[in-house]
Amino acid sequence: MTKNQRNIYIGNSDPSIALETYKSILKLLPSSEKVDIKEALDRISFCPIYSKKSSPYYHAAAMDGIALNHKITKGASEVNPIVLKKSVDFDYVNTGNPIKAPYDSVIMIEDVIESDDEHISIISPSKPFDHIRPVGEDIVANEMIIPSAKRINPFDMASMIQGGVQEIEVVKKPKISIIPTGKEIISNPQEIGKGKIMDSNSILFSALITKLGGNPLIKNIIRDDLQELKNTIIEASQSSDIVIVNAGSSAGTEDYTLKAIESVGEVHCHGVALKPGKPTILGIINQKPVIGIPGYPVSAFVAFDEFVRPLLESLLNIESQKIKYIEGILSKRITSSLKHKEIVRVQVGRVDDKTIVTPLQRGAGITMSLVKADGIIEVPRNVEGIEKGQVVKVRLLKDLGDIDRKIVSIGSHDLIMDILSDMIPLSSNNSGSLGGILSLKTNECHIAPSHLLDEETGLYNISYLNKYLGEDWAVLKSIKRLQGLIVKKGNPKNITEIKDLTREDIKFVNRQRGAGTRVLLDYKLKDLNINKSSIYGYERELTTHMAVAAEVLEDGADVAMGVYSAAKAMDLDFIEIGYEEYDFVMKKYFIEDYRFSEILKAISSKDFKEKLEKLGGYKVDEPKIIRSGDYDD
Ligand SMILES: Nc1nc2c(c(=O)[nH]1)N[C@H]1C(S)=C(S)[C@@H](COP(=O)(O)OP(=O)(O)OC[C@H]3O[C@@H](n4cnc5c(N)ncnc54)[C@H](O)[C@@H]3O)O[C@H]1N2
Ligand code: MOO
């Protein structure tokens, strides 16, 4: 394909304007169907639902006791008990029984003195309608139970049944066809191999659609065949309300989505000022929206959220659906281009009474940024970025209660943080030990896992904490972990010690500056008088133990330095260097916080120790808290 044949002229339309004009052309309206109440959960009411009868529909006893006419009880008291005769003056009733005239009052059985089988006496008067649920106490006939455009919940269902409603008119579930495209895309995990990518986007769309109330249908993967794509799009536009064509939306030689849509319908817009999500295509075929969504998973979510969700909401009649927002302080500067609106995934945490908003990785292929995100923020078009410390508005993707309880950890990441986050509410972000201490300094996190060795004192972390946090730090010491050289299975290059890193046939991969493992390596290199520049790959930095281990596994390197558990997890060999202290650093106030006691409880538990034993390469000692000042004398 030559350059002229590619779709290189991707536009930059304003996303909101593009959507509004698209919607005004499409004029999407909801349609309705009737369903039995039992099937109505989470459906949207098409019109207001009125009760058909009152509830209760007769006067009903509200308590177990006796029914009588209140007048007969006049003047009753302890000194003047009134004796009544069964079936003449009163009848026994149970809760829910109908109360018929001339009875108009119920006395609870506890307040009745039973003399014999036929007679009782009472010692206080009753009033009309005492312990009686009158007709319509709950629902009055023809009263509105729920309005239109309401998502039906279990309470609504129960009330409608009580109100005599059996069948209701709900919004018909819009059908949305999802067409995955791409030679490399597979849906069968057995076919996985280099160059093959699992179709996760179809699952993402399908789940998002189901959650909103639509009916998703995933079509067969089209492997970059233009004619097949055209046929599938035409068929889908006839049989569904919205069509999503996934991937192939940009300028690649096999990006056919634009061609397919424009050859069988019209393209309203190709390319929006949105990041990620730029090469989105808004097309119309058979009066139906056919939307080309970019392939990268985060771009796919953003484009779906920006364009498919509003259309689906129109068809569901839930345009007014409320999205929850929260305001917080941005903990890191975000730079952005003036050209487009950028959607940034963020984590939110309550640190020291402030709501702290921390941006996550921004790559369009990082699906984990969506898993970890508590919310998203928008950097508008024509804005170069947002400064650290500015207040931002976050659209919440999670419950506020979950956010309040969450322990925010920034620092050195280790597999044990994953174990901990399975035991307590914890979000763990990897920025290396030093990065974590700096985040703690600016109150972006509650704890910073750190393992920084001081070359002079031989102590872990203390000198760094004094330097960066001054008087206000505390550290929880308990965990030690085994560091060493991670090599390929069978150690084919026969690496036995750090000196081997300088060998000409050895390719190394390093951890980033500020990472404790990097500090440890540099300490060892200095000790052994080894020049860093003599190590091939010293400059290549990756940010986690698992990432360097994966690099060794995938032949990107012969050796890396890291923890034993990472080598074991990837079935690689390991050459021990020694145990190091993996501490949790915090500010002093956090020792009193209930969330700290949750950490203490978790790491002291048998369950935690057993899990670490399974991972291998850890020691857990009795937890010890050291505060700044403890080492002063
Ligand atoms: N020269 C240019 N190249 C690119 C541009 C551009 O403007 N000029 N735009 C870039 C942007 S921005 C994006 S976003 C992507 C969008 O690419 P496509 O929509 O054409 O998608 P593909 O190239 O076919 O796939 C990209 C990538 O997406 C992943 N993918 C695709 N389908 C699925 C799926 N069903 N499930 C999970 N992941 C999927 C996969 O990793 C593909 O490699 O284009 C840039 N290029
Ligand atoms: O717009 Mo693409 O979706 O940035 O990554």
Side-chain angles (χ1 to χ4, degrees):
M1 193 183 262
T2 66
K3 195 169 176 181
N4 288 343
Q5 290 167 294
R6 292 176 187 247
N7 318 312
I8 54 171
Y9 300 109
I10 297 174
N12 199 41
S13 309
D14 183 279
S16 317
I17 297 172
L19 175 66
E20 281 320 306
T21 46
Y22 190 46
K23 273 170 77 174
S24 66
I25 301 168
L26 288 164
K27 296 187 183 65
L28 299 179
L29 289 172
S31 52
S32 76
E33 63 181 349
K34 289 212 162 126
V35 294
D36 190 282
I37 280 292
K38 293 193 274 303
E39 313 298 324
L41 184 64
D42 283 338
R43 299 297 297 267
I44 316 283
S45 55
F46 186 75
C47 45
I49 313 286
Y50 293 94
S51 64
K52 293 210 158 70
K53 57 183 177 62
S54 300
S55 172
Y57 56 90
Y58 55 88
H59 296 321
M63 297 286 171
D64 302 327
I66 58 161
L68 39 56
N69 188 293
H70 77 283
K71 286 180 188 151
I72 208 167
T73 66
K74 202 172 168 193
S77 70
E78 281 193 28
V79 290
N80 182 30
I82 295 181
V83 178
L84 301 173
K85 185 168 167 53
K86 190 176 141 192
S87 305
V88 177
D89 301 318
F90 77 92
D91 276 308
Y92 283 103
V93 286
N94 286 326
T95 306
N97 285 163
I99 305 295
K100 294 193 191 100
Y103 295 158
D104 67 357
S105 190
V106 168
I107 297 178
M108 286 196 292
I109 199 70
E110 301 88 308
D111 299 333
V112 170
I113 301 157
E114 290 174 304
S115 324
D116 55 43
D117 282 355
E118 293 297 305
H119 295 92
I120 57 140
S121 44
I122 53 161
I123 52 169
S124 61
S126 71
K127 295 190 297 304
F129 283 89
D130 268 1
H131 305 306
I132 290 178
R133 296 186 61 218
V135 169
E137 181 196 61
D138 179 11
I139 301 164
V140 176
N142 299 319
E143 172 183 344
M144 190 174 78
I145 301 179
I146 55 165
S148 58
K150 159 106 176 44
R151 204 177 280 274
I152 294 163
N153 67 32
F155 312 119
D156 303 331
M157 291 166 75
S159 289
M160 286 191 273
I161 289 283
Q162 284 303 346
V165 181
Q166 288 296 334
E167 201 183 51
I168 57 166
E169 205 170 348
V170 292
V171 175
K172 203 168 176 177
K173 285 188 175 195
K175 271 195 206 143
I176 297 163
S177 289
I178 301 160
I179 309 173
T181 74
K183 263 201 186 83
E184 76 283 24
I185 303 302
I186 52 164
S187 58
N188 177 2
Q190 312 293 331
E191 292 170 23
I192 205 83
K194 279 214 169 109
K196 298 282 176 215
I197 292 164
M198 278 299 289
D199 176 15
S200 59
N201 288 347
S202 298
I203 305 300
L204 170 81
F205 297 141
S206 172
L208 289 168
I209 291 164
T210 305
K211 222 170 160 200
L212 279 163
N215 211 347
L217 176 69
I218 303 174
K219 301 275 189 184
N220 289 338
I221 299 163
I222 309 287
R223 299 214 151 76
D224 296 325
D225 178 324
L226 181 59
Q227 192 52 47
E228 199 190 344
L229 182 57
K230 279 197 225 171
N231 296 344
T232 312
I233 292 179
I234 294 171
E235 184 282 317
S237 66
Q238 285 159 349
S239 62
S240 41
D241 299 291
I242 301 176
V243 180
I244 294 174
V245 185
N246 188 220
S249 62
S250 64
T253 52
E254 284 168 342
D255 288 343
Y256 297 129
T257 307
L258 181 75
K259 269 209 183 72
I261 298 176
E262 66 189 0
S263 67
V264 292
E266 61 185 274
V267 170
H268 168 65
C269 163
H270 180 207
V272 281
L274 179 66
K275 197 178 170 205
K278 182 173 169 33
T280 300
I281 304 163
L282 303 179
I284 302 175
I285 299 167
N286 290 322
Q287 313 290 329
K288 305 279 180 56
V290 177
I291 304 179
I293 287 192
Y296 284 126
V298 183
S299 317
F301 165 71
V302 171
F304 177 96
D305 192 60
E306 199 82 19
F307 299 105
V308 183
R309 182 174 58 88
L311 299 187
L312 186 50
E313 284 173 349
S314 297
L315 286 170
L316 284 165
N317 199 18
I318 51 168
E319 265 170 304
S320 59
Q321 198 192 31
K322 290 274 176 293
I323 290 172
K324 287 188 188 121
Y325 291 92
I326 185 179
E327 284 195 338
I329 300 163
L330 193 67
S331 68
K332 279 194 187 90
R333 180 167 193 255
I334 299 175
T335 50
S336 179
S337 153
L338 294 172
K339 280 198 294 195
H340 46 242
K341 165 168 104 172
E342 181 156 1
I343 305 294
V344 182
R345 280 79 64 209
V346 295
Q347 284 204 317
V348 182
R350 304 264 199 210
V351 182
D352 207 7
D353 292 338
K354 289 194 207 83
T355 302
I356 303 294
V357 179
T358 305
L360 285 156
Q361 267 182 296
R362 280 155 79 181
I366 315 285
T367 49
M368 282 304 286
S369 68
L370 286 169
V371 173
K372 289 183 178 172
D374 296 314
I376 47 185
I377 58 173
E378 276 184 18
V379 185
R381 220 175 159 191
N382 300 321
V383 169
E384 267 188 316
I386 309 178
E387 291 304 320
K388 174 183 169 136
Q390 259 182 254
V391 172
V392 287
K393 194 169 138 191
V394 182
R395 176 179 143 196
L396 288 176
L397 300 176
K398 293 198 182 139
D399 264 7
L400 208 50
D402 293 343
I403 292 171
D404 283 342
R405 288 174 55 225
K406 192 177 62 181
I407 299 157
V408 183
S409 162
I410 303 181
S412 159
H413 185 74
D414 185 279
L415 290 174
I416 62 167
M417 297 311 284
D418 294 337
I419 289 180
L420 269 182
S421 54
D422 189 38
M423 301 173 78
I424 51 177
L426 173 91
S427 79
S428 168
N429 296 290
N430 172 48
S431 69
S433 296
L434 196 55
I437 292 171
L438 295 175
S439 296
L440 201 59
K441 186 179 166 81
T442 46
N443 282 335
E444 292 161 34
C445 58
H446 300 116
I447 58 163
S450 175
H451 55 116
L452 292 169
L453 175 65
D454 182 344
E455 295 179 8
E456 267 150 42
T457 60
L459 291 176
Y460 274 90
N461 296 318
I462 306 295
S463 59
Y464 293 88
L465 302 184
N466 281 334
K467 180 170 172 196
Y468 292 104
L469 300 175
E471 301 275 292
D472 188 10
W473 60 261
V475 62
L476 172 67
K477 285 187 177 283
S478 171
I479 299 158
K480 293 201 175 78
R481 58 179 198 176
L482 192 54
Q483 282 274 15
L485 298 174
I486 300 173
V487 296
K488 284 187 208 308
K489 183 95 183 149
N491 196 3
K493 294 221 167 153
N494 194 26
I495 297 163
T496 56
E497 52 180 348
I498 287 187
K499 270 193 198 138
D500 287 332
L501 302 187
T502 60
R503 271 168 39 193
E504 268 188 9
D505 63 327
I506 300 292
K507 208 162 38 161
F508 178 69
V509 62
N510 208 351
R511 291 291 311 280
Q512 84 279 21
R513 248 160 287 217
T517 306
R518 169 77 167 257
V519 173
L520 180 63
L521 174 72
D522 290 349
Y523 170 72
K524 295 280 179 195
L525 293 178
K526 201 172 158 198
D527 197 39
L528 295 164
N529 230 340
I530 295 173
N531 192 339
K532 295 166 184 171
S533 61
S534 63
I535 301 173
Y536 177 73
Y538 180 89
E539 301 302 330
R540 219 179 131 223
E541 300 177 348
L542 294 178
T543 55
T544 63
H545 293 273
M546 289 301 264
V548 291
E551 202 59 13
V552 174
L553 184 74
E554 300 292 337
D555 297 333
D558 301 302
V559 54
M561 180 132 154
V563 290
Y564 172 77
S565 55
K568 189 177 168 209
M570 299 226 174
D571 198 22
L572 295 164
D573 278 5
F574 185 78
I575 296 129
E576 280 187 27
I577 289 181
Y579 276 92
E580 63 167 10
E581 290 169 27
Y582 186 78
D583 298 341
F584 292 150
V585 182
M586 66 211 99
K587 287 204 171 166
K588 279 180 178 162
Y589 82 90
F590 195 61
I591 299 176
E592 312 304 330
D593 194 294
Y594 75 95
R595 288 166 289 193
F596 177 66
S597 46
E598 290 190 21
I599 301 177
L600 260 187
K601 202 170 134 199
I603 64 168
S604 310
S605 71
K606 198 170 146 231
D607 185 26
F608 181 67
K609 284 172 193 153
E610 279 171 6
K611 282 176 176 158
L612 290 204
E613 214 159 277
K614 224 183 216 169
L615 281 182
Y618 294 94
K619 285 182 190 165
V620 187
D621 298 332
E622 198 59 33
K624 198 166 117 192
I625 298 166
I626 298 169
R627 293 169 174 79
S628 53
D630 287 359
Y631 276 108
D632 282 356
D633 40 329

